[in-house]
Amino acid sequence: MLKIANLHAYYGSIEALKGIDIEIAPGVVTCLIGSNGAGKTTLLKAISGMIRRTGSIVFDERNELIGESPTRIARRSIVHVPEGRHIFPGLSVEENLEVGTIAWHGFFGRKPYETEKRSVFDLFPRLEERRGQLGWSLSGGEQQMLAIGRALMARPKLLMLDEPSMGLAPVIVSDLFRKIVEINKLGIPILLVEQNARLALEISDFAYVLDQGRVRIEGKAKDLRTDPRVQEAYLGRFAGKTQPN
Amino acid sequence: MQGLNILLQPNVFMQLTINGVAMGMIYALMAMGLILLIRAIGVMNFAQGELLMLGAFITWGLTYQVKLPFVLMIPAAMLCFAFVGVVFMFVAYWPLRTASYPTATVISTMGAAMVIREIATITWGSLPLVSAPLVKGVVRVGSLRLQYQYLLTIAIGAVLIFLVFVLFEKLYAGRIMQAAAQDKYAAELLGIPTVLTTAATYIIVVTLASVGGYMIAPVFLVNVTLGTLQLRAFAGVVTGGFGSVKGAIVGSLFIGLVESYSSTFTTTYKDAVVFLVLIVVLLFRPQGLFGERVADKA
Ligand SMILES: Nc1ncnc2c1ncn2[C@@H]1O[C@H](COP(=O)(O)OP(=O)(O)O)[C@@H](O)[C@H]1O
Ligand SMILES: [Mg+2]
């Protein structure tokens, strides 16, 4: 559903992605792993139009995203949940969710979004309990739920998650990853960026390993879990054993 | 003290209160705009007084030069204010928004203030222009004589403030604007066109200040020096605790009242009195009358 070919991306004159080819299949979880600075976040930014890029990104086999603005790409229902959550601190949980609808709702529209809100609250009951609370006052885990919930309000056709586990306690992370699998079961394809490679490979169908702006390794997630190169570089020496992150 | 005796006469006191609240409303319209801009783009606008002055000139021009009747003058003025807002944004802010020195956008508002003053002087000359009050005359309540213009200023100011609150607190579009102001990056990822929300903010800010200029024109004369009123709006913002819209409104009303009451003591040193009070407030409450300390917000 998303086909990326020879993608280059630039911060000013610095080339952060150096020719990337990636294909995201419909309905599955695809993960991007790689060490800090590999270019994972940059790749998501390149897809959502937040950075200058060249090459080709074809969505749904007909729409070329290169040259399109972030607003336009968001209207295609490609939703990027950024690293660090970026929820709106001065808006309540409910208002944060409402803002998530903008891509299909329109500035002056009056379309209802109760159904979307209901399903987000069903997925994250915690958010319903906190519906009136301001964004800044939530815990890290709740903020991540809100960031994902806000993205679901946008009726995503592709959901991109950047480091959802960052800074969260292990129990909260495993809860969160169960929710991510649940979301995927609803038929929403997910592009998951994680530094926590073990966790990401567990719930993914397909995986890419990024390094210095290039794809180094790619394949089925279950193959990569046992790939010696991946084990050595990204899973630590005790691969196979459960290890707290 | 003789001044105090005069001030404490009930009639005088009431009248000064009405005048003070009316002036406070004008400052509040400017102060609110200051806060909205600080929130939306993180910039203190030093051309706020000049926007008020330009509003006074534009409405004067439409009324006395173009000779539009009132019902046409208002929509025409609104269009002009929107136009000024968009031009102001694209000239003084947009090209500098990615400048490596964040102060660049602040300095450019000072430049904009000079340009607006010059444009006004070239277009309308430097002699003060007379503008008739919207409704002439006075209301008598008992032995009290209140000018319609002041009462009208209070009413219109209150209505505008109410409308801005409805927009931001109740309407979907306002929520979107708040979101864009709080986190531009996240807003863009969700598909909010931040150019439009920023432009809308500028239009609102210019309209608020300009309506203030229109209301104040009959009280003072229409003159480039109207721009200096922005100091009162700054004082209002600071008194109110810098950062909250509600605080800025209450702070501005407070400044209006202080200024008005002080006129029984001195008219020459009115400015000095206002700032003396401001300093005293800050000495005892550095966070402003209504501000929370920064630590409370984190
Ligand atoms: N805003 C920026 N300006 C310049 N270089 C950047 C910026 N953001 C990231 N980079 C560089 O781009 C490369 C990829 O970064 P990033 O995509 O954030 O990595 P990852 O998300 O995999 O940790 C890094 O070398 C980083 O230093
Ligand atoms: Mg990253």
Side-chain angles (χ1 to χ4, degrees), chain A residues 71-97:
Chain A
T71 310
R72 185 107 189 83
I73 293 169
R75 286 205 193 117
R76 295 195 183 283
S77 311
I78 297 175
V79 191
H80 175 170
V81 178
E83 194 174 337
R85 290 115 201 180
H86 283 268
I87 60 165
F88 301 112
L91 298 186
S92 70
V93 166
E94 208 160 4
E95 291 167 342
N96 265 279
L97 292 179

Side-chain angles (χ1 to χ4, degrees), chain A residues 159-223:
Chain A
L159 181 61
M160 308 196 284
L161 304 175
D162 197 347
E163 309 250 13
S165 76
M166 196 201 264
L168 302 182
V171 284
I172 294 175
V173 172
S174 49
D175 256 14
L176 191 69
F177 273 57
R178 264 196 294 278
K179 301 290 186 183
I180 294 175
V181 173
E182 248 179 81
I183 293 169
N184 177 244
K185 292 230 174 82
L186 300 172
I188 301 171
I190 291 175
L191 178 56
L192 173 66
V193 163
E194 264 296 342
Q195 266 199 67
N196 188 334
R198 175 186 314 280
L199 216 50
L201 289 174
E202 246 167 56
I203 68 159
S204 300
D205 302 285
F206 216 80
Y208 290 86
V209 178
L210 248 60
D211 181 38
Q212 296 180 26
R214 292 196 170 84
V215 174
R216 292 293 169 195
I217 309 169
E218 61 178 275
K220 292 211 174 80
K222 69 172 182 343
D223 296 338

Side-chain angles (χ1 to χ4, degrees), chain B residues 74-278:
Chain B
I74 293 298
M78 290 295 167
L79 283 180
C80 291
F81 300 159
F83 178 73
V84 171
V86 172
V87 170
F88 187 65
M89 163 180 166
F90 279 109
V91 173
Y93 166 67
W94 199 251
L96 294 168
R97 72 193 186 289
T98 51
S100 40
Y101 300 97
T103 40
T105 41
V106 181
I107 303 219
S108 95
T109 66
M110 297 179 187
M114 287 162 68
V115 172
I116 295 173
R117 275 200 298 276
E118 292 308 317
I119 289 176
T121 311
I122 292 168
T123 316
W124 289 285
S126 50
L127 291 175
L129 305 169
V130 180
S131 178
L134 256 177
V135 183
K136 290 195 185 69
V138 293
V139 201
R140 282 169 209 278
V141 184
S143 56
L144 208 61
R145 301 170 76 248
L146 303 171
Q147 287 186 39
Y148 267 119
Q149 184 68 22
Y150 281 119
L151 295 174
L152 213 54
T153 302
I154 295 173
I156 288 179
V159 167
L160 280 180
I161 290 169
F162 175 74
L163 288 180
V164 169
F165 270 96
V166 168
L167 168 66
F168 282 99
E169 303 292 333
K170 297 275 176 261
L171 298 186
Y172 185 87
R175 199 96 79 225
I176 297 298
M177 290 178 64
Q178 276 195 59
Q182 288 174 22
D183 191 328
K184 190 153 172 285
Y185 181 68
E188 284 184 356
L189 285 182
L190 289 171
I192 298 176
T194 52
V195 193
L196 292 189
T197 55
T198 310
T201 306
Y202 270 93
I203 290 173
I204 291 170
V205 169
V206 170
T207 303
L208 290 175
S210 298
V211 170
Y214 174 56
M215 296 313 294
I216 205 157
V219 178
F220 297 111
L221 296 167
V222 182
N223 192 329
V224 279
T225 54
L226 280 180
T228 54
L229 288 177
Q230 84 177 342
L231 286 178
R232 308 284 162 60
F234 286 150
V237 166
V238 174
T239 317
F242 218 101
S244 102
V245 174
K246 286 184 188 126
I249 293 166
V250 181
S252 299
L253 293 175
F254 174 75
I255 294 292
L257 284 172
V258 167
E259 183 189 27
S260 182
Y261 294 146
S262 72
S263 63
T264 56
F265 300 98
T266 165
T267 47
T268 326
Y269 298 108
K270 227 162 54 167
D271 283 351
V273 173
V274 168
F275 284 95
L276 191 69
V277 170
L278 177 64

